């Protein structure tokens, strides 16, 4: 259905995105340092990494807004530099900061984009109304976008990106700064897009979000892809969960480490908090029994939790350093 | 307002969403003119939604007109009424020239807000966004001109040729359009919208004073007279005065049109180069 619906030239059999050795520099600062990517058609692909990791810059290269300093990328088989115009006809970009005209009303924003895509005045109005309805913005259609809440603005922004359903949609941190309800709505939209056949490339700082949405994830740090795989594979590489235990008595910690590590079969770490224990668990089903072993050994537990590894923990495991915002790379976010 | 936003959240309709999504029929892409006109329409919407911008722009000239006419008019031209006949054509030019910077300011705002990214990722003729903005600004220049002329007429300004007034406004708009390209180029390199405004004011304010807008250059020291004669604004003001009082100052007009061509030939390609390679 998609790609071959006749109107535009996604080349048969070509991957949605294919990038080799993409490099981009801001002055001396290498923002993107040799990124390779292969994204299949119809996939939701997550780009996971902290601020300044190079996510935005990579997306901007793929969306033809930046010219790579070296390397090459193709979108549905079309080179993003030599065939930029064709690529622009296949993709849509929703930037990190809602890219709508705040002075215009919601409806005017959508009509503007529709007109620029070649709709007649009348068709543009019809399409704008349809989108406003679909995104729950009908009541706010006549208000200037500057009066919108963050969630409404984000929805308008995404609506503007799909006036014509793109073959490939870039979403740069689509839920950053949104409350949980708005975040869930954006997730629904993304899933609907994908079920309609659109390939989605989204960036996020949240493992949780990538986990919920993405078929595959690339973890990016310092301009390099440091890990790639399905969410399951990625979490598996870190341990499928992290067990946190707090003891009543710091003196019982050495004994607790012995009991736990024997019962769950992985190393137990001792964070700086003297009553805390931490373990990256690969087989979560062994945890309940292991925990039960602590009181048997006469060790009192004050609380415990078993959760997904956080992005920080994935990062720490993959890179050996914690996530940190790179102040000198802020430039990337600012442009 | 929170309530309203809350209601909007609740009404996001799953069915409507799904039916609105698969929309892949792509109409024929608009040609360069139609894309530019669409951006022109956007500029007009901005005038409609943010009319303050226009009032800001004409606030200064109103103050200047009143102050110069009634405080200094008598001293300069014998009477305020006589000075008004001299001043209004000059004020008209000053008003429009000073608001040319807004094209650059708006372009810079688009970039800092991220709207420019969306436009740049659309499959359209790329200069359309700037050409369209300039077309919209020409309407702004015409509105500002109308306000200044109306003010002048109320105060007692009596031009001799109506056709001359219309031609004057056309000439001013053509010149302003050409000058705007300087600010679009600046708008693409400046860090903030405000810095575009500052730099342009810093350049244009002295230029409008070192001209024949307010007084005849012959009362100035010799070196300043030389500067004034080379100032393109002087030629524009002379041309406008001539036209409004029934003559056709061919020399000034020719000089100006050449100047306009030079400005566009230099700054339009620079603007487009900067726009294309903007990071």
């Amino acid at each position: 259905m998609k790609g071959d619906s006749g109107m535009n030239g996604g080349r048969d059999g070509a991957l949605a995105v294919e990038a080799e050795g993409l490099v981009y520099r801001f002055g001396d600062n290498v923002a993107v340092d040799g990124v390779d990517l292969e994204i299949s058609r119809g996939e939701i692909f997550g780009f996971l990494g902290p601020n300044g990791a190079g996510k935005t810059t990579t997306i901007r290269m793929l969306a033809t807004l930046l010219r790579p300093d070296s390397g090459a990328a193709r979108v549905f088989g079309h080179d993003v530099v030599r065939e930029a115009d064709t690529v622009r006809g296949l993709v849509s970009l929703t930037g990190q900061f809602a890219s709508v005209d705040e002075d215009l009303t919601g409806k005017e924003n959508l009509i503007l984009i529709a007109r620029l895509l070649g709709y007649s005045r009348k068709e543009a109005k019809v399409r704008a109304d349809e989108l406003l309805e679909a995104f729950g913005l009908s009541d706010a259609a006549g208000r200037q976008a500057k009066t919108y809440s963050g969630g409404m603005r984000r929805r308008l922004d995404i609506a503007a990106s799909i006036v014509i359903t793109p073959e490939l949609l870039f979403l740069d941190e689509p839920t950053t700064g949104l409350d949980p309800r708005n975040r869930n709505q954006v997730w629904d939209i993304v899933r609907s897009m994908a079920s309609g056949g659109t390939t989605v490339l989204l960036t996020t700082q949240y493992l949780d979000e990538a986990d919920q949405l993405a078929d595959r994830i690339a973890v990016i740090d310092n301009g390099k892809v440091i890990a790639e795989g399905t969410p399951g594979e990625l979490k598996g590489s870190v341990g499928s969960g992290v067990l946190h235990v707090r003891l009543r008595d710091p003196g019982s910690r050495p004994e607790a480490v012995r009991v736990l590590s024997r019962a769950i079969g992985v190393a137990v770490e001792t964070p700086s908090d003297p009553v805390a224990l931490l373990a990256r668990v690969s087989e979560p089903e062994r945890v309940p029994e292991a925990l039960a072993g602590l009181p048997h050994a006469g060790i009192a537990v004050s609380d415990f939790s078993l959760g997904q590894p956080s992005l920080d923990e994935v990062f720490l495991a993959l890179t050996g350093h914690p996530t940190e915002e790179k102040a000198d790379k802020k430039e990337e976010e600012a442009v | 307002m929170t309530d309203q936003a809350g209601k909007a959240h609740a009404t996001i309709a799953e069915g409507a969403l799904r039916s609105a999504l698969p929309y892949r029929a792509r109409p024929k892409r608009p040609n360069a003119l139609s894309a530019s006109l669409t951006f022109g329409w956007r500029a007009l919407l901005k005038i409609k939604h943010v009319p303050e911008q226009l009032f800001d722009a004409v606030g200064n000239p109103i103050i200047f007109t009143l102050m110069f006419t009634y405080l200094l008019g008598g001293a300069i031209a014998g009477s305020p009424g006589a000075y008004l006949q001299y001043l209004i054509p000059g004020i008209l030019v000053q008003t429009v020239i000073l608001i040319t910077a807004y094209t650059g300011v708006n372009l810079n705002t688009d970039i800092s807000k991220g709207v420019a990214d969306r436009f740049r990722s659309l499959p359209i003729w790329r200069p359309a966004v700037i050409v369209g903005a300039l077309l919209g600004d020409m309407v702004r220049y015409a509105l500002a001109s109308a306000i200044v002329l109306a003010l002048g007429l109320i105060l007692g300004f009596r031009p001799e040729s109506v056709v001359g007034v219309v031609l004057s406004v056309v000439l001013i708009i053509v010149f302003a359009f050409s000058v705007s390209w300087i600010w679009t180029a600046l708008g693409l390199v400046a860090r903030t919208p405000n810095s575009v405004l500052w730099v342009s004011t810093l350049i244009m304010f002295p230029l409008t004073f070192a001209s024949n807008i307010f007084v005849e250059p012959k009362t100035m020291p010799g070196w300043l007279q030389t500067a004034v004669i080379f100032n393109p604004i002087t030629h524009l003001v002379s041309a406008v005065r001539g036209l409004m009082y029934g003559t056709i100052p061919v020399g000034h007009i020719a000089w100006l049109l050449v100047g306009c061509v030079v400005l566009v030939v230099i700054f339009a390609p620079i603007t487009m180069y900067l726009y294309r390679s903007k990071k």
Side-chain angles (χ1 to χ4, degrees), chain B residues 109-151:
Chain B
T109 308
D110 278 357
I111 290 165
S112 55
K113 296 253 157 120
V115 202
D117 270 359
R118 177 175 303 288
F119 296 148
R120 291 202 311 145
S121 62
L122 289 174
I124 49 172
W125 184 60
R126 283 196 143 190
V129 60
I130 292 166
V131 174
L134 287 170
L135 290 177
D137 284 335
M138 288 165 85
V139 174
R140 197 208 312 264
Y141 304 151
L143 283 172
S145 302
I147 294 173
V148 172
L149 285 171
L151 174 76

Side-chain angles (χ1 to χ4, degrees), chain A residues 9-25:
Chain A
R11 275 180 193 143
D12 286 345
L15 290 167
V17 176
E18 206 175 349
E20 292 131 31
L22 282 183
V23 172
Y24 196 86
R25 297 185 194 89

Side-chain angles (χ1 to χ4, degrees), chain A residues 24 60 85 88-89 99 101-103 108 116 119 127 136 157 161-162 165 167 182 185 192 196 198, chain B residues 1 8-9 12 20-21 23-24 26 29-30 42 45-46 49 113-115 117-118 120 124 126 279:
Chain A
Y24 196 86
R60 288 169 60 87
D85 214 49
R88 281 180 209 130
S99 23
D101 188 330
E102 298 189 331
D103 290 333
E108 286 165 351
L116 291 173
Y119 285 75
R127 181 63 177 150
D157 200 12
S161 293
I162 64 170
T165 311
E167 297 301 314
N182 279 301
Q185 286 183 348
S192 303
T198 294
Chain B
M1 201 179 92
H9 293 163
I12 187 166
L21 285 175
Y23 205 93
R24 289 165 188 276
R26 186 173 284 272
R29 63 196 278 174
R42 170 180 180 241
L45 286 175
K46 276 180 180 287
H49 288 301
K113 296 253 157 120
V115 202
D117 270 359
R118 177 175 303 288
R120 291 202 311 145
I124 49 172
R126 283 196 143 190
K279 289 176 176 177

Side-chain angles (χ1 to χ4, degrees), chain A residues 189-207:
Chain A
I189 294 166
V190 173
R191 289 192 192 102
S192 303
M193 297 292 302
S195 69
T198 294
T199 310
V200 179
L201 171 50
L202 64 92
T203 72
T204 179
Q205 301 187 42
Y206 312 116
L207 180 64

